[in-house]
Amino acid sequence: MGVTETAPIPKQRGEQLLDHAVRYAEERHWDVFPGTWLEAEDGKELCSCGAADCAAPGAHPVMQGWAASATGSATTVRRMWQKQPRASILLPTGRTFDAIDVPETAGFLALARMERMELTLGPVALTPDLRMLFFVLPGAGAKVPDLVRRLGWSPSTIDLVTRAEGDYVAAPPTRFGGRGAVQWARRPTPANRWLPDAEELINPLAYACGREAAAARARRA
Protein backbone atom coordinates (compact mmCIF):
# COMPACT_ATOMS: atom_id res chain seq x y z
CA MET A 1 0.00 0.00 0.00
CA GLY A 2 1.51 3.28 -1.11
CA VAL A 3 2.14 6.26 1.11
CA THR A 4 -0.21 9.16 0.47
CA GLU A 5 1.59 12.49 0.24
CA THR A 6 -0.03 15.39 2.03
CA ALA A 7 0.24 19.00 0.96
CA PRO A 8 2.46 21.19 3.15
CA ILE A 9 0.56 23.22 5.71
CA PRO A 10 0.58 26.89 4.65
CA LYS A 11 2.44 29.16 7.02
CA GLN A 12 0.47 31.62 9.07
CA ARG A 13 0.98 35.26 8.15
CA GLY A 14 3.02 35.95 11.28
CA GLU A 15 5.42 33.14 10.38
CA GLN A 16 5.77 34.53 6.86
CA LEU A 17 6.60 37.99 8.18
CA LEU A 18 9.17 36.57 10.59
CA ASP A 19 10.79 34.45 7.84
CA HIS A 20 11.05 37.42 5.48
CA ALA A 21 12.39 39.77 8.14
CA VAL A 22 15.09 37.25 9.10
CA ARG A 23 16.08 36.70 5.47
CA TYR A 24 16.44 40.44 4.86
CA ALA A 25 18.83 40.63 7.80
CA GLU A 26 20.74 37.43 7.10
CA GLU A 27 20.90 37.36 3.31
CA ARG A 28 20.90 41.07 2.40
CA HIS A 29 22.43 42.50 5.59
CA TRP A 30 19.62 45.04 5.70
CA ASP A 31 18.62 46.62 9.00
CA VAL A 32 15.03 45.79 9.90
CA PHE A 33 12.54 46.98 12.48
CA PRO A 34 8.91 46.09 13.25
CA GLY A 35 6.12 48.57 12.62
CA THR A 36 2.41 48.71 13.28
CA TRP A 37 0.03 45.94 12.19
CA LEU A 38 -3.58 45.51 11.14
CA GLU A 39 -6.38 44.60 13.52
CA ALA A 40 -9.87 43.50 12.51
CA GLU A 41 -12.69 45.59 13.92
CA ASP A 42 -16.33 45.66 12.77
CA GLY A 43 -15.42 44.00 9.49
CA LYS A 44 -12.62 46.48 8.76
CA GLU A 45 -8.85 46.33 9.10
CA LEU A 46 -7.61 49.19 11.24
CA CYS A 47 -4.09 50.20 12.17
CA SER A 48 -2.84 49.08 15.56
CA CYS A 49 -1.93 52.73 16.29
CA GLY A 50 -5.65 53.38 16.85
CA ALA A 51 -5.89 56.42 14.57
CA ALA A 52 -9.02 56.24 12.42
CA ASP A 53 -7.41 58.51 9.81
CA CYS A 54 -4.01 56.72 9.76
CA ALA A 55 -2.23 57.51 6.49
CA ALA A 56 -0.44 54.15 6.30
CA PRO A 57 -2.53 51.62 8.23
CA GLY A 58 -0.37 48.74 9.37
CA ALA A 59 2.85 50.05 7.83
CA HIS A 60 4.50 52.78 9.90
CA PRO A 61 6.77 52.92 12.96
CA VAL A 62 5.29 52.25 16.39
CA MET A 63 7.43 54.87 18.12
CA GLN A 64 9.41 57.99 17.30
CA GLY A 65 12.77 56.43 18.19
CA TRP A 66 12.40 53.71 15.57
CA ALA A 67 15.82 54.35 14.01
CA ALA A 68 17.62 53.12 17.13
CA SER A 69 15.65 49.86 17.15
CA ALA A 70 16.54 48.89 13.55
CA THR A 71 18.91 45.92 13.56
CA GLY A 72 20.74 43.60 11.22
CA SER A 73 20.96 40.84 13.82
CA ALA A 74 18.83 37.85 12.85
CA THR A 75 18.63 36.81 16.52
CA THR A 76 17.24 40.20 17.52
CA VAL A 77 14.86 40.18 14.55
CA ARG A 78 13.46 36.82 15.65
CA ARG A 79 12.94 38.13 19.16
CA MET A 80 11.16 41.26 17.85
CA TRP A 81 8.68 39.35 15.68
CA GLN A 82 8.08 36.68 18.31
CA LYS A 83 6.78 39.50 20.52
CA GLN A 84 4.42 40.74 17.78
CA PRO A 85 4.19 38.29 14.84
CA ARG A 86 1.84 40.53 12.85
CA ALA A 87 4.14 43.56 12.84
CA SER A 88 4.94 45.10 9.46
CA ILE A 89 8.50 44.84 8.12
CA LEU A 90 10.11 48.25 7.81
CA LEU A 91 13.58 48.93 6.39
CA PRO A 92 15.45 52.16 7.22
CA THR A 93 16.85 53.96 4.20
CA GLY A 94 20.16 55.81 4.13
CA ARG A 95 22.11 52.87 5.55
CA THR A 96 22.70 50.01 3.12
CA PHE A 97 20.44 51.50 0.45
CA ASP A 98 18.31 54.48 -0.55
CA ALA A 99 15.12 54.19 -2.60
CA ILE A 100 13.86 56.29 -5.49
CA ASP A 101 10.08 56.44 -5.11
CA VAL A 102 8.01 57.07 -8.26
CA PRO A 103 4.40 56.54 -9.45
CA GLU A 104 3.79 52.95 -10.49
CA THR A 105 2.90 53.79 -14.10
CA ALA A 106 6.11 55.77 -14.53
CA GLY A 107 8.08 53.06 -12.75
CA PHE A 108 6.97 50.33 -15.15
CA LEU A 109 7.76 52.56 -18.12
CA ALA A 110 11.23 53.30 -16.73
CA LEU A 111 11.84 49.66 -15.80
CA ALA A 112 11.12 48.49 -19.35
CA ARG A 113 13.50 51.10 -20.72
CA MET A 114 16.22 50.17 -18.22
CA GLU A 115 15.96 46.53 -19.17
CA ARG A 116 16.29 47.41 -22.87
CA MET A 117 19.36 49.49 -21.99
CA GLU A 118 20.70 46.51 -19.98
CA LEU A 119 21.31 48.70 -16.94
CA THR A 120 22.34 47.14 -13.66
CA LEU A 121 19.31 47.06 -11.40
CA GLY A 122 18.79 46.37 -7.73
CA PRO A 123 15.57 45.16 -6.11
CA VAL A 124 12.40 47.04 -7.08
CA ALA A 125 9.30 47.04 -4.87
CA LEU A 126 5.63 47.73 -5.65
CA THR A 127 3.43 49.22 -2.95
CA PRO A 128 -0.36 48.98 -2.63
CA ASP A 129 -0.69 52.75 -2.96
CA LEU A 130 0.59 52.47 -6.55
CA ARG A 131 4.20 53.49 -6.02
CA MET A 132 7.39 51.81 -7.21
CA LEU A 133 10.62 51.86 -5.21
CA PHE A 134 14.01 51.43 -6.93
CA PHE A 135 16.74 50.42 -4.47
CA VAL A 136 20.02 52.26 -5.08
CA LEU A 137 23.25 52.95 -3.22
CA PRO A 138 23.09 55.24 -0.18
CA GLY A 139 23.72 58.92 -0.92
CA ALA A 140 20.92 59.31 -3.45
CA GLY A 141 19.09 61.77 -1.23
CA ALA A 142 21.87 64.34 -1.60
CA LYS A 143 22.39 64.01 -5.35
CA VAL A 144 19.02 63.17 -6.94
CA PRO A 145 17.42 66.65 -6.75
CA ASP A 146 20.35 68.25 -8.62
CA LEU A 147 20.49 65.39 -11.13
CA VAL A 148 16.78 65.82 -11.91
CA ARG A 149 17.10 69.60 -12.26
CA ARG A 150 20.00 69.17 -14.70
CA LEU A 151 17.66 67.11 -16.85
CA GLY A 152 15.20 70.00 -16.93
CA TRP A 153 12.66 68.96 -14.30
CA SER A 154 11.82 69.70 -10.68
CA PRO A 155 11.48 66.56 -8.53
CA SER A 156 8.27 67.84 -6.93
CA THR A 157 6.52 68.57 -10.24
CA ILE A 158 7.21 65.09 -11.62
CA ASP A 159 6.41 63.27 -8.33
CA LEU A 160 9.87 61.75 -7.91
CA VAL A 161 10.87 61.29 -4.26
CA THR A 162 14.06 59.96 -2.69
CA ARG A 163 13.85 57.90 0.50
CA ALA A 164 17.17 58.46 2.25
CA GLU A 165 18.62 58.93 5.75
CA GLY A 166 15.94 59.30 8.38
CA ASP A 167 13.25 57.63 6.27
CA TYR A 168 12.11 54.04 5.74
CA VAL A 169 10.23 51.79 3.33
CA ALA A 170 7.82 48.90 3.94
CA ALA A 171 9.07 45.54 2.67
CA PRO A 172 7.15 42.54 1.28
CA PRO A 173 4.92 40.92 2.45
CA THR A 174 3.76 43.87 4.58
CA ARG A 175 0.12 44.78 3.96
CA PHE A 176 -1.38 48.26 3.91
CA GLY A 177 -4.89 48.37 5.34
CA GLY A 178 -7.45 47.48 2.70
CA ARG A 179 -5.00 47.92 -0.16
CA GLY A 180 -3.08 44.65 -0.38
CA ALA A 181 0.57 43.81 0.18
CA VAL A 182 3.92 45.25 -0.82
CA GLN A 183 5.41 43.04 -3.56
CA TRP A 184 8.67 42.69 -5.42
CA ALA A 185 8.73 43.73 -9.08
CA ARG A 186 12.36 42.58 -9.02
CA ARG A 187 13.19 40.32 -6.11
CA PRO A 188 16.41 40.54 -4.08
CA THR A 189 18.73 37.86 -5.48
CA PRO A 190 22.48 37.17 -5.38
CA ALA A 191 22.64 38.70 -8.88
CA ASN A 192 21.42 42.11 -7.70
CA ARG A 193 23.25 42.24 -4.39
CA TRP A 194 25.40 45.11 -5.74
CA LEU A 195 23.16 48.13 -6.09
CA PRO A 196 23.36 50.76 -8.84
CA ASP A 197 24.17 54.38 -8.14
CA ALA A 198 21.20 56.73 -8.46
CA GLU A 199 23.01 58.53 -11.28
CA GLU A 200 22.80 55.38 -13.42
CA LEU A 201 19.00 55.21 -13.21
CA ILE A 202 17.90 58.83 -12.92
CA ASN A 203 17.63 59.56 -16.64
CA PRO A 204 14.99 56.91 -17.47
CA LEU A 205 13.21 57.52 -14.15
CA ALA A 206 12.99 61.29 -14.59
CA TYR A 207 11.95 60.91 -18.24
CA ALA A 208 9.15 58.47 -17.34
CA CYS A 209 7.93 60.63 -14.43
CA GLY A 210 8.02 63.75 -16.59
CA ARG A 211 6.05 62.02 -19.32
CA GLU A 212 3.42 60.80 -16.83
CA ALA A 213 3.16 64.23 -15.21
CA ALA A 214 2.62 65.86 -18.61
CA ALA A 215 -0.06 63.32 -19.49
CA ALA A 216 -1.84 63.96 -16.18
CA ARG A 217 -1.82 67.73 -16.80
CA ALA A 218 -3.24 67.16 -20.28
CA ARG A 219 -6.07 65.04 -18.85
CA ARG A 220 -6.96 67.79 -16.38
CA ALA A 221 -6.94 70.51 -19.07
Side-chain angles (χ1 to χ4, degrees), residues 18 22 34 73-84:
L18 171 60
V22 168
S73 163
T75 301
T76 304
V77 169
R78 287 190 179 92
R79 189 160 57 243
M80 286 174 165
W81 264 268
Q82 283 166 357
K83 289 180 180 177
Q84 180 42 259

Side-chain angles (χ1 to χ4, degrees), residues 117-137:
M117 296 168 68
E118 298 184 348
L119 295 180
T120 298
L121 292 169
V124 181
L126 286 168
T127 67
D129 53 352
L130 305 180
R131 306 291 296 184
M132 190 175 280
L133 306 171
F134 289 77
F135 285 38
V136 295
L137 288 172

Side-chain angles (χ1 to χ4, degrees), residues 81-104:
W81 264 268
Q82 283 166 357
K83 289 180 180 177
Q84 180 42 259
R86 294 179 295 166
S88 54
I89 303 173
L90 304 180
L91 310 175
T93 48
R95 299 186 182 186
T96 50
F97 66 88
D98 283 354
I100 303 177
D101 178 344
V102 301
E104 183 183 276

